[in-house]
Structure formats: C-alpha cells, structure tokens
Amino acid sequence: MFCAYIYAMNNATKKSNSSHSFLTNILKKMTFVDFSLNDCKLRARLASIYNCNTPRFHAHWLGGVMALLLSIPQTTWAIGTPAGTTISNVATLAYSISGVSQPDITPAAATFLVDERINLTVVGGVSTSVVSGSTAQATAFTVTNNANSPLDFSLAVAPAIAAGDIFNPAACSAFVESNAAPDGYQPGTDIAAFIDELPADASKTVYVVCNIPASQAPSDTGIVGLTATARGDFNATGYVATAGAPGAAIAATAGADTVNMDIVFADVAGTEDLPRDAAHSDRNTYVVANAALAIAKTIASVLDPNGSAVLMPGAVITYQVAVDITGTGTISNIVITDPLPAEVTYAPGSIAVDGVVKTDGADADNAQFAANTVSVSLGNVAAPANFVITFRATIN
Amino acid sequence: MRIVNLLHTTTLLALLGSISLSAHAAEDAIKVTSIAQIEVEVTGKDGKKAIRRAPVTKAVPGTEVIYTTTFENRIKKSAGNIRINNPVPNDSEYVGGSAFGMDCEILFSADGGKTFGPAEELKIRGKDGKVRAALPKEYTHIRWIYKKQLAPGKSGEVGFRATIK
C-alpha cells in the first residue's frame, strides 16, 4: 500500500507543472497512506525517484517527502497517545471590518500534557503436566503492557495458594523469556528476574519455575500465582528508560490534579492483587501426570546373504522399537536412544519413524545416528500416543 | 528543477505567514481565546452530583476534551465575515456531532483543510481507492462561518469535543 503511493507520487511529480498541484497531489495521496514503517520498501521506491531526476533536486525532494511522511498522524494507537505528549489546539479567526479583510488572528494555543495511564495484564490459566518429584518445572504466563509508555515489571510468585489444590509447588522463581519468539523455558538462558523496558502494547512470556513435591498421586494439582507490578522512572514530561535495572516503584499522583504529567492507575484486580495498584496477576496449575511410557524393541526381520532368515554374518537385521504412551497428561522431552552392539554395523540411512525415512545427520529431522547410537527425539507428547521406530544393521 | 524552486517559494511564504500572524496578535480588534476543558463529576454539599467543566489536568488516552474558542469585538465598528478555522488537535479524534456555535454555519474537512463541507456531505477516499462518507474521527479541520455581524462589545463562542487517541 505504502510503496504503491510513493510510486504514484513519483509519476505525479513528473507530470505536474505547478507547485500548487504538485503539493496538492502529494497531500491528497498522503492522506490515505497506511503508515507502516517498512524501511526496505520505502528505500527501494525513493531510490527509483533518485534515478529519474537531476541530482540537485534530490536532497530537497527526499527531505520534503520524508517530512510529509513523518507528519502524518498514525491512525491506530492500539494503546494510546504516549504519556507526556503535548496536545495543542490552535484556532485561527478571519474577519472583516467595513468590508475590508483584516489579518487573521491566532490566539495562544490551548495545550495540555497527556497523562500516564498505568495498566497491565497477566494471563495464565494454563495447566502444565508434570511428574511427581521433578525439579525446575516451567509453566508460562503472558505479561502485557497496556500503559501509554514503556514500563519495567517486577515479578512475584505465589506458590502457596490456600484453596483449590492438593500440593504447593516448591522453590519457585519467575524468569523472563529471553527470545523475541518464545521457545520454551531454557535454563541458564532465560534468567532475567524482571521485565526490562517493555514497550507499550507489547507482551512478554514469563516462566514460573517450581519443584514438584515427591509422592504426589496422579491428577493431583498445585496452583501457582504470578503477580507483575509496573515499575519505572518518570520526569515531568514522560517515562525515563532505566535499561538493565527495574525502575522505581510507581505511585499514582496524589491529591488534586496537576498541570504536569500525572500518573493514573487503570489496572483491574487479578487473582492475587487489587484494582488500581499498578499490578495484575493470574494463576496456572501444575497437574501430576499419570501418563506412562512403554518401550519395546524387537527384531522385525532377518535377511541373510542366501535369501533366507538365518542370523549369520552378513545378514541384515531390521530392528523395530515401539513407543507406547498411555494415560493422561503430557510426557516432555522424550528422546529414544539405542546404542548398537559391537557385533553389528548400522545400515546408513535406514532410520524411519512411523514409516517416514529420516537422515542420519544431526539436522532438522528428529532422528540421527552418531557414536554408533541411533537416537530419535519425540519432544513433548500428549497421551495417548504411539510411535514405531525402525532401522537396519548388518551382522559383522 | 522548476519544482525545487517552487517548493522553496512555498516554504518561504509559509514562514512569512506565521511571522505576520504573531506580529498582529497584540493589537487585535477582536480578542480571541482558546481553552481546553474536561467534564468532571463533582459532589455538592447536599450530596448531589453535578457535571462541571474543569481545565484539562488528568488526561489519559480515551479522555474527551472540550475545546472552546471565544471571540469578542473590542473596537467601535462591527466585524463581519468572521470565520474560525480549527485543525483537529494532534493525537485526537473529533467526536461526531459535538461542534457547536450560535449563528454559525459549521463545515468540516477530511482532507487536511483542502476542501470543506457539511458533515453529511463529507467524503473521503478510502484505502481501497473508493470514495465513501468520511467518519467523524477522520475529520481534520473544523470551520465556523459566523453568519451575523459582530457588534461592538459583543462576543461569540464556538467549540467541539475530541477524544485523546
């Protein structure tokens, strides 16, 4: 959309004979531009303008276009005008006396500052399947900044929810996802204990990581709450970034309104916090899985060099590993490894999972052969499910 | 090359225009003032609630702001052809039907002040290239045309509401 208009403007420029219709053309076309900041496409089109005009013209033309583009108001503030923005109303009055037109009058602009609206949401409501006695079990929440400025957020975990569950998760911590695209909790990588400089309207995944008490029965539940609290430094005209450190605790502007940028709390109550306290919270539930994993390895067939099925040197054995997951819940990070005995030699390229042939290298597919070991990664599997892995080897 | 020179000329004219405006501000025959207000609910001594207007102080996104421009004739002659031109403030959206002004014809623009028309006739070219009726939030300018002569000592008042985006 954007580039199409730039292109149209370029054509309009060439045809235009007067500055008036030239500017009018720009304004007319700019009015309807969807202003997405797609730098690459923008540059590509501006470059094409460069090529078809004389050099001296370019700097001015580029400057003019850029200024016009930047002055176009963005039509969709999902979350609102940034705090500290000055909104200014300027009226102009024209009049005549005795039929003679007089100079226009522009009174002093009526201006005010947009105030800071602190608002956020924490969304959990997730059930995470765990094994009794396991450690460092992660359950994910999403924290969203609904304020009209960037903010930092401190995180607090409530493991001892009194009602509605069987056990209390232990040794809980909260960690912030370090990647832009969440890739699950990565111990040692996802280590930040607070959310730093979250832009307005942006979200972050936060992992609450707890130990699950031993000796819990299948289907037992343990509820954990996460509270995020907005923090940040402000001066008279807006938010002040404190990269790498959580900003100060925020207080709503007390008493009467002021002409400066005030701070207003607009958050609703969460599961662990009150309305208008610059915090929000929600809960997730750990559920002890009663899923079971059974694995059985069999020799599916033998083909000897003579064409029959005798286990002799040179005979090719087809192994079959059946993985059967039963019950309910999810079993995480399943990796099947099968070291081959010294008496056989693996047949390259022979691994297949559910009939789909896999490569031997450590690559994008989930199977590999290395160090005389066949390994297949099945990842997180929800019960019930089953897999059949086959591969071949020759008797030495 | 022609376009460059014309662009420069336009910029220069715009600059000159703003200088002459400020030079005239001190000695105007008509006193013009602009204010921005919000409505607040106040509880009186009798416990009754009332809506009052107050200066804009708490203004978070979504707040509706009332902008009022008053004009008063301070010379001994009547003033005519009074027109007030008011771009919708930055980061704000005009609230449909909110413009007011006694003895005024009220016109709007949805194309940056290039063309003006009554609200019901205002058109805009949509992103799909089709012309359609302009929505109030797409209005860019408001213009009041005062239909009477403003007699000496008399004043008038026009205004509108806009929501902070």
Side-chain angles (χ1 to χ4, degrees):
Chain A
M1 174 64 82
F2 181 78
C3 285
Y5 277 113
I6 292 286
Y7 187 66
M9 280 165 44
N10 186 13
N11 289 338
T13 314
K14 284 187 276 187
K15 289 173 196 161
S16 177
N17 285 326
S18 75
S19 76
H20 175 73
S21 66
F22 164 68
L23 285 171
T24 304
N25 271 335
I26 292 178
L27 288 169
K28 198 155 119 193
K29 288 182 163 71
M30 300 317 296
T31 308
F32 309 106
V33 165
D34 253 351
F35 195 46
S36 66
L37 284 167
N38 195 338
D39 284 331
C40 289
K41 289 179 182 174
L42 176 61
R43 268 186 225 119
R45 288 304 183 192
L46 288 175
S48 76
I49 293 170
Y50 244 89
N51 292 337
C52 56
N53 291 284
T54 58
R56 196 183 147 201
F57 168 67
H58 298 148
H60 301 286
W61 169 223
L62 274 173
V65 169
M66 294 306 286
L68 279 168
L69 289 178
L70 295 174
S71 68
I72 292 170
Q74 197 153 358
T75 50
T76 49
W77 282 113
I79 220 66
T81 304
T85 302
T86 298
I87 293 190
S88 179
N89 186 49
V90 182
T92 304
L93 183 139
Y95 67 109
S96 304
I97 292 174
S98 307
V100 178
S101 184
Q102 303 293 316
D104 289 356
I105 302 169
T106 301
T111 62
F112 59 89
L113 281 177
V114 175
D115 290 335
E116 172 77 27
R117 179 192 57 195
I118 302 288
N119 198 2
L120 72 157
T121 54
V122 176
V123 177
V126 174
S127 283
T128 301
S129 185
V130 291
V131 175
S132 181
S134 57
T135 58
Q137 296 297 302
T139 183
F141 293 83
T142 304
V143 178
T144 303
N145 180 6
N146 303 121
N148 54 338
S149 77
L151 287 172
D152 296 336
F153 293 93
S154 62
L155 304 166
V157 181
I161 306 294
D165 65 350
I166 308 290
F167 65 88
N168 286 333
C172 294
S173 308
F175 298 109
V176 183
E177 169 65 61
S178 57
N179 284 345
D183 60 350
Y185 172 60
Q186 307 292 328
T189 305
D190 299 330
I191 51 174
F194 66 94
I195 304 176
D196 197 21
E197 306 301 333
L198 186 62
D201 210 19
S203 297
K204 265 287 180 191
T205 298
V206 172
Y207 302 104
V208 168
V209 179
C210 299
N211 295 343
I212 308 303
S215 312
Q216 295 298 329
S219 302
D220 279 1
T221 54
I223 298 173
V224 65
L226 174 71
T227 303
T229 304
R231 299 178 71 93
D233 292 358
F234 295 89
N235 61 19
T237 56
Y239 178 79
V240 180
T242 53
I250 300 171
T253 304
D257 296 340
T258 74
V259 293
N260 290 330
M261 191 202 73
D262 295 343
I263 295 176
V264 182
F265 289 171
D267 57 282
V268 298
T271 53
E272 328 296 329
D273 73 292
L274 300 170
R276 291 182 291 285
D277 61 353
H280 194 242
S281 51
D282 203 1
R283 294 173 173 180
N284 278 358
T285 306
Y286 288 111
V287 181
V288 175
N290 59 0
L293 188 152
I295 186 163
K297 183 176 175 184
T298 54
I299 293 175
S301 69
V302 177
L303 184 63
D304 69 36
N306 302 326
S308 56
V310 178
L311 285 167
M312 58 184 283
V316 176
I317 302 169
T318 301
Y319 288 103
Q320 200 171 58
V321 179
V323 181
D324 197 12
I325 297 156
T326 55
T328 57
T330 298
I331 300 186
S332 304
N333 302 321
I334 303 172
V335 180
I336 311 290
T337 55
D338 189 351
L340 299 190
E343 292 77 17
V344 299
T345 301
Y346 172 72
S350 65
I351 305 172
V353 178
D354 289 339
V356 178
V357 177
K358 307 286 183 175
T359 60
D360 290 342
D363 49 24
D365 76 25
N366 62 349
Q368 60 169 310
F369 178 80
N372 208 33
T373 300
V374 171
S375 62
V376 176
S377 168
L378 298 175
N380 301 339
V381 180
N386 60 70
F387 301 89
V388 177
I389 300 160
T390 58
F391 57 91
R392 293 190 304 278
T394 308
I395 298 175
N396 297 335
Chain B
M1 289 312 299
R2 170 188 291 154
I3 292 163
V4 178
N5 295 336
L6 289 172
L7 264 178
H8 278 166
T9 313
T10 314
T11 317
L12 203 61
L13 284 173
L15 280 171
L16 286 172
S18 61
I19 290 164
S20 63
L21 282 178
S22 51
H24 282 284
E27 46 193 285
D28 293 321
I30 295 184
K31 186 188 178 191
V32 186
T33 45
S34 270
I35 55 167
Q37 292 176 306
I38 52 169
E39 285 181 339
V40 290
E41 193 179 77
V42 291
T43 308
K45 285 176 186 167
D46 54 359
K48 286 184 181 169
K49 287 179 177 171
I51 302 289
R52 296 257 170 80
R53 287 190 184 183
V56 178
T57 46
K58 283 260 192 299
V60 296
T63 303
E64 193 173 289
V65 179
I66 307 156
Y67 297 94
T68 310
T69 299
T70 52
F71 48 97
E72 182 192 352
N73 187 348
R74 298 195 299 182
I75 57 172
K76 288 176 180 172
K77 290 180 179 172
S78 290
N81 294 331
I82 294 177
R83 281 170 294 125
I84 296 162
N85 202 17
N86 196 156
V88 173
N90 58 299
D91 297 302
S92 304
E93 285 177 353
Y94 173 71
V95 176
S98 66
F100 59 91
M102 190 91 85
D103 300 320
C104 283
E105 182 185 0
I106 305 176
L107 302 175
F108 301 92
S109 172
D111 58 6
K114 194 164 80 71
T115 60
F116 282 83
E120 63 275 12
E121 291 173 15
L122 215 55
K123 299 282 195 291
I124 193 169
R125 190 177 294 276
K127 288 169 188 165
D128 57 0
K130 289 179 183 160
V131 173
R132 57 169 173 77
L135 302 172
K137 68 176 183 181
E138 293 167 328
Y139 295 0
T140 59
H141 290 67
I142 307 162
R143 175 178 288 171
W144 291 265
I145 300 174
Y146 190 64
K147 292 184 285 192
K148 291 183 173 176
Q149 291 278 319
L150 190 65
K154 297 289 181 188
S155 64
E157 182 179 270
V158 298
F160 65 99
R161 292 167 184 247
T163 306
I164 302 172
K165 284 199 267 193

